[in-house]
């Protein structure tokens, strides 16, 4: 799913093609590169037509979903060959005693700061807490007005919107799911997660006024354009703008990005033990089973997976894709380009920050429950990556009760795959059960009071 980054696509194709020289028997390997938006219908049609590829890139939730349906094979033996996985990798790929995906890179959401713009606003250090982040955003708005966007984050119905909302929710003590006493629970409409929605909504013009103008309709690509043109001072993102700037240093504004951008791990929230963990995207490779593949070759399939997970193989792709692709295992942080010799033109400080963020990465479905489930992939697809209720609130002006509507939609989706039913809730949403740290932001006793239409 790298179809939007040509040099990364080419590296993946070339590196995969080299397997032909490594395989124990003759093989003609073809890699099909598409964009993410195309993958769901591609999977569905290829599975139904029994012409699926031997191996596909996907998220861990999808690998578990397909494994539960019997159309993907487990890869537990290969997964167990490595003992230095970051913690979230185990939650992301395992189900019912098996691993169904092999993580090979993450896309972490660190913070990119234009230090020249911060300096012009009288801010000499990058914010390290959410409290300082909002203070800096207000200062930048006071200094520049509409000329500069203080904090670049999407607000439209975009997968990145839900990702960054989970980041905020997590930092203040909330989660979207829990798993207790052998059962899953949807916690998206409980106080801590409702707080995360309202905290994110507070960035907008009617409250803190630190989000982009026209924020409610902005997708991730729109916000990235603001940063790349030098119109956003602070930006939570993967490393794509950095890679693009270094690869095209003579293009307009790219030299300013190279000279003035500092990368930092995400700011901490109010709950100390949650630290500065940030949302992770990323991918696993997972094998489709023989009953849905067009050309089944079980031995070659296993060989290819082992080849793809070999550190020397991955180093080739990582060098082309850094800092978008970040490590999934400790040993990857010690190998080029993230450790040892850096063969790229990327600043080592950028790579170090991205690598540190990867070690602490969290993911919306699995981090609260500390496990994966077959229903998570479907849930995320049905709710535009959990941004549905948020977009309804800030775009259409609907009340926060939309959060419970989406939570009930998630319960129904989950119940279709569980052997028990998650009951819909109708008691509405509130902030009554917040932890003390988040409550200070909700009741005004803390540094920055959130927008709270529930008062």
């Amino acid at each position: 799913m790298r179809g939007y980054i040509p040099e990364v696509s080419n590296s993946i194709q070339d590196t995969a093609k080299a397997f032909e020289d490594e395989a124990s028997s003759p093989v003609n390997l073809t890699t099909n590169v598409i964009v993410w938006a195309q993958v769901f219908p591609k999977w569905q049609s290829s599975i139904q037509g029994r012409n699926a590829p031997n191996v596909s890139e996907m998220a861990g939730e999808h690998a578990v979903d397909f494994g539960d349906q019997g159309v993907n094979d487990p890869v537990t033996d290969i997964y167990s060959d490595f003992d230095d996985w970051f913690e979230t990798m185990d939650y992301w790929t395992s189900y019912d005693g098996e691993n169904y995906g092999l993580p090979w890179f993450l896309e972490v959401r660190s913070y990119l700061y234009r230090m020249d713009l911060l300096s012009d606003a009288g801010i000499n250090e990058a914010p390290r807490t959410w409290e300082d982040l909002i203070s800096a955003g207000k200062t930048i708005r006071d200094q520049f007005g509409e000329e500069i966007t203080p904090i670049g984050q999407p607000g439209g119905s975009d997968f990145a919107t839900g990702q960054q909302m989970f980041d905020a929710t997590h930092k203040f003590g909330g989660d979207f799911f829990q798993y207790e006493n052998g059962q899953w629970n949807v916690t998206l409409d409980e106080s801590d997660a409702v707080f995360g929605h309202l905290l994110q909504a507070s960035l907008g013009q009617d409250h803190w006024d630190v989000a982009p103008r026209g924020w409610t309709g902005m997708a991730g690509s729109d916000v990235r354009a603001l940063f790349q043109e030098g119109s956003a001072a602070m930006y939570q993102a993967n490393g794509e703008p950095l890679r693009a700037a270094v690869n095209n240093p003579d293009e307009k504004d790219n030299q300013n990005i190279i000279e003035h951008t500092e990368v930092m791990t995400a700011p901490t929230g109010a709950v100390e033990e949650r630290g500065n963990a940030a949302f992770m995207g990323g991918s696993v490779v997972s094998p489709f089973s023989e009953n849905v593949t067009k050309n089944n070759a079980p031995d070659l399939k296993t060989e290819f997976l082992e080849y793809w997970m070999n550190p020397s193989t991955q180093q080739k792709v990582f060098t082309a894709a850094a800092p978008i692709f970040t490590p999934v295992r400790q040993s990857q942080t010690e190998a080029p380009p993230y450790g040892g010799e850096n063969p790229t033109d990327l600043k080592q400080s950028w790579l170090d920050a991205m690598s540190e963020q990867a070690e602490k990465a969290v993911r919306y479905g699995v981090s609260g429950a500390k496990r994966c489930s077959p229903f998570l992939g479907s849930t995320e697809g049905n709710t535009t990556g959990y941004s549905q209720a948020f977009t309804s609130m800030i775009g259409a002006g609907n009340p926060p009760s939309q959060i419970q509507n989406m939570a009930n939609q998630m319960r129904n989706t989950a119940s279709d795959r569980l052997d028990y039913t998650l009951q819909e809730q109708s008691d509405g949403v509130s902030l009554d059960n917040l932890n003390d740290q988040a409550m200070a932001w909700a009741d005004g006793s803390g540094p920055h009071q959130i927008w709270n239409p529930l008062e």
Side-chain angles (χ1 to χ4, degrees):
M1 279 76 81
R2 305 297 114 192
Y4 54 92
I5 314 175
E7 54 266 49
V8 176
S9 300
N10 293 338
S11 176
I12 291 173
Q13 289 179 304
D14 292 344
T15 304
K17 191 70 172 176
F19 173 68
E20 294 180 351
D21 296 328
E22 305 284 339
S24 62
S25 59
V27 57
N28 179 20
L29 187 144
T30 300
T31 302
N32 294 315
V33 179
I34 61 175
V35 295
W36 178 253
Q38 297 174 342
V39 74
F40 291 101
K42 286 278 189 181
W43 279 333
Q44 184 177 17
S45 63
S46 65
I47 290 170
Q48 291 176 344
R50 298 185 182 276
N51 63 349
N54 298 94
V55 174
S56 179
E57 177 190 359
M58 59 185 68
E61 296 92 340
H62 305 130
V64 166
D65 190 353
F66 287 141
D68 183 61
Q69 295 178 51
V71 297
N72 271 24
D73 293 330
V75 289
T76 310
D77 289 346
I78 302 175
Y79 186 93
S80 300
D81 287 342
F82 305 96
D83 59 4
D84 62 341
W85 298 104
F86 296 156
E87 181 181 20
T88 303
M89 300 306 97
D90 288 327
Y91 309 150
W92 197 30
T93 61
S94 60
Y95 176 69
D96 202 19
E98 299 279 10
N99 292 94
Y100 287 95
L102 298 169
W104 61 291
F105 74 87
L106 299 183
E107 288 187 13
V108 292
R109 309 302 191 251
S110 298
Y111 266 77
L112 282 55
Y113 296 102
R114 279 291 297 269
M115 297 307 297
D116 54 336
L117 300 178
L118 267 65
S119 179
D120 288 345
I123 303 167
N124 297 319
E125 294 184 356
R128 303 306 301 129
T129 67
W130 257 80
E131 178 180 344
D132 291 341
L133 181 72
I134 302 308
S135 293
K138 292 179 177 180
T139 298
I140 291 167
R141 181 65 81 192
D142 290 343
Q143 175 68 26
F144 293 106
E146 297 188 16
E147 180 183 354
I148 298 295
T149 291
I151 302 174
Q153 291 194 357
S157 184
D158 187 297
F159 267 82
T161 300
Q163 294 166 3
Q164 291 169 336
M165 189 176 65
F166 174 73
D167 183 305
T169 299
H170 180 83
K171 298 276 181 51
F172 284 79
D175 288 300
F176 291 176
F177 295 92
Q178 286 289 347
Y179 185 85
E180 297 174 344
N181 301 319
Q183 287 204 341
W184 281 85
N185 295 296
V186 175
T187 56
L188 186 82
D189 50 354
E190 294 186 1
S191 291
D192 290 334
V194 173
F195 174 89
H197 280 71
L198 301 182
L199 175 73
Q200 193 75 3
S202 300
L203 299 175
Q205 292 96 307
D206 293 335
H207 197 71
W208 290 335
D209 194 21
V210 296
R213 300 300 181 184
W215 178 56
T216 56
M218 278 201 162
S221 57
D222 301 318
V223 181
R224 183 169 65 244
L226 287 177
F227 182 79
Q228 289 175 323
E229 68 186 28
S231 298
M234 302 181 286
Y235 177 41
Q236 188 180 17
N238 66 9
E240 165 61 10
L242 304 175
R243 182 210 59 80
V246 167
N247 285 358
N248 304 281
D250 296 328
E251 288 188 7
K252 184 178 184 292
D253 298 318
N254 280 353
Q255 199 59 46
N256 284 328
I257 292 178
I258 295 169
E259 292 179 6
H260 298 298
T261 298
E262 183 174 331
V263 181
M264 305 287 285
T265 53
T268 58
V271 177
E272 184 176 352
E273 58 266 28
R274 295 291 177 101
N276 61 356
F279 180 86
M280 70 172 207
S283 279
V284 307
V285 285
S286 186
F288 282 108
S289 61
E290 62 178 334
N291 60 328
V292 297
T293 51
K294 180 179 181 180
N295 299 301
N296 188 49
D299 294 337
L300 282 170
K301 186 164 55 177
T302 299
E303 279 188 43
F304 176 78
L305 290 169
E306 292 172 340
Y307 164 80
W308 198 250
M309 297 304 294
N310 187 293
S312 62
T313 303
Q314 294 193 341
Q315 186 177 323
K316 298 174 184 176
V317 179
F318 267 59
T319 299
I324 309 171
F325 290 12
T326 59
V328 297
R329 296 184 287 111
Q330 185 61 43
S331 56
Q332 287 180 327
T333 70
E334 300 163 1
Y338 288 93
E341 181 182 358
N342 175 10
T344 74
D345 292 328
L346 297 160
K347 293 180 182 179
Q348 190 61 45
S349 62
W350 294 351
L351 297 176
D352 290 344
M354 291 290 189
S355 181
E356 181 182 352
Q357 192 75 81
E359 293 187 54
K360 305 171 182 178
V362 293
R363 190 161 173 89
Y364 31 38
V366 302
S367 290
K370 299 190 184 311
R371 63 181 58 225
C372 198
S373 172
F375 64 74
L376 287 175
S378 298
T379 295
E380 288 156 13
N382 289 344
T383 58
T384 317
Y386 307 106
S387 72
Q388 184 183 80
F390 179 76
T391 304
S392 175
M393 287 166 51
I394 69 167
N398 287 319
S401 59
Q402 294 295 310
I403 301 170
Q404 187 156 83
N405 294 344
M406 189 172 78
N408 284 331
Q409 183 178 341
M410 292 159 59
R411 292 183 177 103
N412 292 331
T413 302
S415 296
D416 290 340
R417 301 295 294 272
L418 297 169
D419 58 4
Y420 51 90
T421 299
L422 301 182
Q423 297 297 325
E424 290 191 10
Q425 302 297 313
S426 59
D427 53 351
V429 297
S430 76
L431 299 179
D432 294 344
N433 297 312
L434 284 180
N435 61 67
D436 291 342
Q437 298 96 320
M439 183 60 78
W441 286 63
D443 64 13
S445 61
H448 302 288
Q449 186 172 14
I450 65 168
W451 171 63
N452 184 7
L454 297 171
E455 288 183 319

